[in-house]
Amino acid sequence: MTSILSGLSAAQIAALSTAQIAGLTAADIAVMTTGQAAALTTAEVAALSVSAVGAFSVAQIAALTQAQIAALAAQQVAAIGAASVSGLTAKQMGWLSAGQISGFTNKQVPKLSTAQIAAVSAAAFSGLSATALASLTAAQTAAVTAAQIRGMSKSLFQAIQVNALSTSALAAVNGAYLSAAQIASMTWATVGKLSADQFKAGVAGVFHTLSTDQVGGVAAAQIALVPTTEIAALTTAQIAVLTPAQVQTLSASQLSAMNATQFGALRLWLLSTTQIAGLTATEIAALTTAQISTLTLAQIAALSTRQIALFTTAQDAGFLVAQLSVAQLLALKCGLSGLTKTQVAQLSAAQIGGLSAATLSAVATTFLASLNASQIGQISAAAFSELSATLLNGLTAAQIGGITQAQTQALTATQVSGLSTAKLFSLNTSWFGAKQAAGLTASQIAAMSVAQFDALCGRNLAALSAAAIKAITLDQLKSLTAIQDGQFTAGQLAAMSANQFAIVMRQDNPILAEAKSFGADGVLTYDETLKILQDVAAGGVTADEFGALKTLADQMGVTGVYKTSAYVDQIFDDVVLGNSANASWHGGGAIAQALGDMTAGTSELQANRLIGKWFLGTDLPGTDLSAVGTNLKSTYVACTLPLFGANGPQWSDINQGYVGDCYLMAALAETALQHPDTIKNMIKANGNGTYSVDFIVNGKDDYVTVNADLAMMPSGYAWQNGSKQTFAHNTTNMWSQLIEKAYVQLVEQKGVTPGMTLNINGNAYADIAGGWSNALTAVTGQACDIYRVGPGDPTAALMTTMQNAFNAGEEIMVGTTSLNLSGNLVENHMYFVSGVDAAKGLVQMVNPWGQASASASLSMKFWEPIAALANNYAAVFVTEGKPAH
């Protein structure tokens, strides 16, 4: 059947009666052109049946004018097909009234585009039913405008998906309109975006209903708006997820609103120092030992002694006592006597050193007994000098081993006289001065062996009392040197027996006469002392010769007797008076042989080896690296390279070899970069093919002698620079190689920090595999501050410290870990720093492998972001002050 609309012009369409229009069927609408649709009058549009409107196509809908759109009734709008709704243009959507919008169904609404949604006027948008609004998709909801949000009633708004709103639309929300369901559905991100007014009006009053995820998303500024009643209603799970910023925003009243259970769930270490300083007695009483153990150094420093005193004895067990000040430590309810063994072990040098003699005496029976040897050595000399002899006699042998030189020299004559012989002989009596010697009693003198007498009294004979003088045995007197005999005063000589007096008045022997000949000018040189020792070594060392050498050792470096260099004075003592390194002789061989200190009866071979070890550098370190890597079976060959290049020591001279001593190589390179004169002053030629190398150990010079023999790799091995030297290597100079060899010999001594891998003091290159900042201190004599950083740690202050230190010429090194490696970083490796750019957060690092040992895949000199070092948990070492050389 042909439609009545077929072939009608626009004028004819407009002339149709409303009755004719009302009778149009879906079939009629289907043949209607867009031109015919646009020709409909408003009256005709209003007359269209619901079914006719429902038959409109997308194109027909899009052709409707503003007047035609305005003529549509709500039920007609509701009849538009779900598919055809999408034909409404953004402009047409803007023409719709609230009444028309109310006709949209929950089937039509999802078909609307985001552009159509955004085009609806705010006034019209409020006409949507709650059902229709609830049918909006997330994308459609994101298109809702701020104006549309502001135009909604409370009941209508509560049908919308809050999480899907755009940032601008969310900012327009009336917080008071938020329903409980909407609040419960919010993500933590949405909660965090709410303004202070929105949060206060809608969320703050029901804060305790939030999930733990939502609580974690609340902004710090929002936390401040939460009423104390809501804080009091929080679960321990909610309190446990509070972020650092949230916790530090909690006011004193909010903290006070928490009960003991809640406060016990709080991550205490997140509180600011101001919050910590404001903790009340009730809040302190609620703290668990686990919480107390998490307090940071800054938080503990913020606690007043009044607050410290409020902690119970049980709570005191949670403190990391090393972080307490002395005043705080003394305020602990448990007292020093109540500290656990673990806590006592944590006490720092500053804390122990700050304890007075009165305090120590009051707790001595329980507290002193808990201190380890190192801690005993941290008691101030002033306090130590006031401890009773009874307390001192109660110390264990291990504790006495920790007594320092300063403490020993602070002992009074009264204390010394009260010591048992066992405790007296346990002390390092080489530190005794005149004050201590004056306290020695006749019974103590009589109980001494010859060696003990020499150690206790040899340098302080003039201080001995007349009673003590009379108790000296003849064997003890015979052990004294001529210079020691000269210490006796006229009064002491008068108190001696005839036999004692006769021994003291002895004559010089031939060795001392030779020394007088060499030292006629008042000076004994390296060559002269070497000649004396070699003369004595011939045929072995007799008792008289050994006694004369000990006398000469005492006379060297003494004003008015013999002047000599500190180097010669030390190495002569090492040969004659002994050194822990004398225990063995390696001589470059595969296995070390027993050697031992010089004594009366020392053989010619042993004597020459001792002279070779200290004067000639012939005790060559072992080269077997089997314990830490591969044994290359190296052999020693004399090196003929100059000590330094034309420009003196350069950091670029450093090329680390087969042993893992990156910490030493980096220290030498950094020192050559910042203070090349330190390297020049450190190693000096003796003129006979040997070199003195001056290290700093425990703040004092410690000299080693090396010759120019260097370990060489077997045939078929060579570095990229052509060198065959096994360890540190170079083709133009040999200063770094000789210092490396000297360091191996240095760490053979007991009490010198060697590498971290073996630590067996065996004069072998394997012993220096692995280390820390100990080598930098040994080279420059400077203490090192160690800064550790981890992922997310603030680094600005560290970068400023590094920039200032580098600009001031202080040495800086960086040690990596095996964690989160990136770029050019190698695990567990030490680098030296050649530049710092604090503004950009960059550190210029140099790998001590050097170009001759470089890996093809790694740059040896590169800029590294401080963030990458923090991510690796790297350690930064910065020296204090200037080098000692």
Side-chain angles (χ1 to χ4, degrees):
M1 179 181 293
T2 303
S3 169
I4 65 171
L5 300 178
S6 298
L8 294 181
S9 66
Q12 291 173 319
I13 290 292
L16 292 174
S17 68
T18 55
Q20 289 174 307
I21 292 297
L24 292 177
T25 66
D28 293 325
I29 297 300
V31 298
M32 179 185 287
T33 67
T34 56
Q36 290 175 322
L40 291 171
T41 66
T42 56
E44 289 175 326
V45 170
L48 288 169
S49 67
V50 170
S51 60
V53 173
F56 268 65
S57 68
V58 171
Q60 291 168 328
I61 289 292
L64 296 179
T65 67
Q66 182 175 3
Q68 290 173 317
I69 291 292
L72 289 171
Q75 56 268 37
Q76 288 176 305
V77 172
I80 298 173
S84 299
V85 165
S86 63
L88 287 167
T89 66
K91 184 179 291 186
Q92 288 174 319
M93 292 296 293
W95 295 336
L96 294 172
S97 67
Q100 291 172 311
I101 288 291
S102 69
F104 276 111
T105 68
N106 57 2
K107 291 184 179 180
Q108 292 172 309
V109 169
K111 298 297 182 178
L112 296 174
S113 68
T114 56
Q116 288 175 306
I117 293 292
V120 178
S121 69
F125 199 82
S126 65
L128 278 175
S129 67
T131 302
L133 189 64
S135 70
L136 289 175
T137 65
Q140 290 174 315
T141 303
V144 174
T145 67
Q148 291 169 336
I149 291 292
R150 284 192 290 270
M152 290 183 188
S153 65
K154 180 176 182 179
S155 59
L156 181 61
F157 172 76
Q158 291 181 344
I160 202 163
Q161 303 174 55
V162 178
N163 286 323
L165 290 175
S166 67
T167 301
S168 59
L170 182 64
V173 169
N174 184 332
Y177 283 6
L178 291 167
S179 68
Q182 286 175 312
I183 292 173
S185 71
M186 285 184 183
T187 65
W188 63 267
T190 301
V191 173
K193 291 178 182 178
L194 295 177
S195 68
D197 289 340
Q198 290 173 317
F199 185 84
K200 184 175 182 180
V203 181
V206 292
F207 187 73
H208 77 280
T209 66
L210 298 184
S211 69
T212 53
D213 283 343
Q214 290 174 314
V215 169
V218 173
Q222 294 172 329
I223 288 289
L225 303 173
V226 179
T228 55
T229 52
E230 286 298 304
I231 294 292
L234 292 176
T235 66
T236 54
Q238 289 172 311
I239 289 175
V241 299
L242 290 175
T243 67
Q246 290 172 328
V247 170
Q248 291 177 8
T249 307
L250 291 171
S251 65
S253 59
Q254 287 174 317
L255 287 171
S256 296
M258 294 183 186
N259 60 36
T261 302
Q262 289 175 307
F263 208 76
L266 189 65
R267 289 185 288 174
L268 196 64
W269 57 274
L270 297 178
L271 291 176
S272 68
T273 53
T274 301
Q275 290 171 311
I276 289 290
L279 291 179
T280 65
T282 301
E283 291 164 343
I284 287 174
L287 296 177
T288 66
T289 53
Q291 285 177 303
I292 295 168
S293 69
T294 66
L295 287 171
T296 66
L297 180 61
Q299 287 176 316
I300 288 180
L303 288 169
S304 66
T305 53
R306 177 191 61 78
Q307 288 174 305
I308 291 287
L310 294 174
F311 287 83
T312 65
T313 299
Q315 287 176 311
D316 287 344
F319 276 111
L320 294 174
V321 294
Q323 298 177 331
L324 297 174
S325 68
V326 173
Q328 290 173 319
L329 189 64
L330 297 178
L332 290 174
K333 188 160 292 182
C334 68
L336 294 179
S337 300
L339 294 178
T340 66
K341 288 185 177 179
T342 300
Q343 287 177 313
V344 171
Q346 294 170 357
L347 291 174
S348 68
Q351 289 172 313
I352 294 175
L355 299 177
S356 67
T359 298
L360 289 170
S361 296
V363 296
T365 54
T366 52
F367 180 68
L368 275 185
S370 301
L371 296 178
N372 59 39
S374 176
Q375 291 173 316
I376 287 290
Q378 292 161 359
I379 298 173
S380 72
F384 200 79
S385 69
E386 295 182 35
L387 296 179
S388 68
T390 300
L391 293 179
L392 294 176
N393 282 324
L395 296 177
T396 65
Q399 287 176 314
I400 287 179
I403 294 175
T404 67
Q405 182 174 357
Q407 290 171 325
T408 301
Q409 293 176 345
L411 289 171
T412 64
T414 300
Q415 287 176 305
V416 171
S417 65
L419 292 175
S420 68
T421 53
K423 292 299 184 286
L424 176 65
F425 299 156
S426 296
L427 292 169
N428 186 338
T429 50
S430 65
W431 292 335
F432 264 36
K435 181 169 65 173
Q436 292 75 45
L440 292 171
T441 65
S443 60
Q444 290 171 327
I445 293 287
M448 294 177 189
S449 67
V450 170
Q452 289 169 332
F453 174 78
D454 187 54
L456 279 161
C457 309
R459 290 177 172 81
N460 302 288
L461 294 170
L464 295 176
S465 67
I469 289 291
K470 292 178 180 179
I472 300 174
T473 68
L474 299 183
D475 285 339
Q476 289 171 338
L477 283 176
K478 288 177 182 178
S479 72
L480 298 177
T481 65
I483 194 169
Q484 288 174 312
D485 289 341
Q487 294 181 43
F488 289 117
T489 66
Q492 291 174 317
L493 291 173
M496 291 180 181
S497 67
N499 288 335
Q500 287 176 314
F501 186 81
I503 292 173
V504 171
M505 295 294 104
R506 58 192 165 184
Q507 300 295 318
D508 283 342
N509 64 22
I511 293 172
L512 296 179
E514 182 182 22
K516 281 186 177 181
S517 174
F518 282 142
D521 57 354
V523 177
L524 283 177
T525 66
Y526 167 89
D527 291 333
E528 290 167 344
T529 51
L530 173 60
K531 178 64 166 57
I532 291 171
L533 288 170
Q534 289 173 330
D535 287 346
V536 171
V541 183
T542 66
D544 286 343
E545 288 173 328
F546 183 53
L549 287 178
K550 289 196 295 180
T551 297
L552 182 56
D554 283 340
Q555 293 174 337
M556 288 173 62
V558 176
T559 302
V561 188
Y562 299 119
K563 292 180 181 179
T564 190
S565 68
Y567 163 59
V568 172
D569 191 18
Q570 180 210 298
I571 62 174
F572 189 88
D573 284 351
D574 292 331
V575 173
V576 176
L577 303 181
N579 185 293
S580 57
N582 293 344
S584 62
W585 167 268
H586 220 298
I591 301 174
Q593 303 173 43
L595 182 58
D597 287 331
M598 181 178 286
T599 62
T602 287
S603 69
E604 181 174 350
L605 174 63
Q606 181 187 0
N608 281 324
R609 283 184 169 179
L610 288 170
I611 295 167
K613 176 186 281 281
W614 294 107
F615 274 77
L616 301 175
T618 52
D619 188 9
L620 302 174
T623 62
D624 188 346
L625 298 178
S626 299
V628 293
T630 302
N631 181 17
L632 296 181
K633 297 183 179 179
S634 301
T635 56
Y636 278 95
V637 176
C639 181
T640 59
L641 293 172
L643 184 60
F644 299 115
N647 296 318
Q650 303 288 311
W651 66 263
S652 55
D653 294 336
I654 298 299
N655 295 289
Q656 182 184 344
Y658 267 104
V659 71
D661 61 351
C662 54
Y663 65 101
L664 173 61
M665 295 294 100
L668 291 176
E670 183 71 6
T671 306
L673 172 68
Q674 294 284 26
H675 298 99
D677 284 345
T678 294
I679 300 294
K680 289 183 179 179
N681 294 332
M682 182 181 185
I683 181 167
K684 302 283 188 181
N686 288 327
N688 62 346
T690 67
Y691 299 84
S692 68
V693 183
D694 183 7
F695 294 101
I696 307 296
V697 177
N698 298 324
K700 296 181 179 180
D701 294 297
D702 197 332
Y703 295 93
V704 176
T705 302
V706 294
N707 63 17
D709 290 356
L710 295 177
M712 306 295 282
M713 296 181 287
S715 176
Y717 288 85
W719 297 104
Q720 292 178 24
N721 60 2
S723 174
K724 295 179 65 66
Q725 296 161 9
T726 307
F727 304 107
H729 50 94
N730 198 301
T731 59
T732 61
N733 57 73
M734 61 178 179
W735 66 269
S736 62
Q737 301 94 303
L738 295 187
I739 293 177
E740 180 185 42
K741 183 169 73 164
Y743 190 72
V744 177
Q745 296 176 211
L746 173 77
V747 301
E748 185 182 9
Q749 302 177 51
K750 301 296 183 184
V752 176
T753 304
M756 293 181 175
T757 302
L758 298 181
N759 195 14
I760 60 173
N761 304 113
N763 189 22
Y765 277 95
D767 283 356
I768 64 169
W772 209 229
S773 61
N774 43 290
L776 184 55
T777 299
V779 170
T780 68
Q782 299 164 277
C784 282
D785 292 324
I786 303 176
Y787 301 88
R788 301 179 186 274
V789 287
D793 286 352
T795 56
L798 175 56
M799 285 302 301
T800 299
T801 297
M802 292 177 70
Q803 186 75 73
N804 293 339
F806 188 81
N807 292 346
E810 295 174 4
E811 287 76 14
I812 307 174
M813 301 193 305
V814 176
T816 63
T817 69
S818 60
L819 302 174
N820 306 322
L821 292 168
S822 63
N824 293 298
L825 296 181
V826 179
E827 68 176 359
N828 301 321
H829 195 44
M830 190 72 77
Y831 297 80
F832 67 95
V833 172
S834 61
V836 178
D837 191 334
K840 295 181 180 178
L842 296 174
V843 181
Q844 188 177 50
M845 298 166 55
V846 185
N847 190 328
W849 287 350
Q851 292 303 322
S853 309
S855 166
S857 62
L858 297 174
S859 294
M860 292 297 101
K861 184 177 182 181
F862 53 92
W863 286 96
E864 189 73 15
I866 188 66
L869 296 178
N871 196 43
N872 175 254
Y873 294 89
V876 177
F877 304 89
V878 181
T879 59
E880 300 174 359
K882 300 298 180 184
H885 298 299

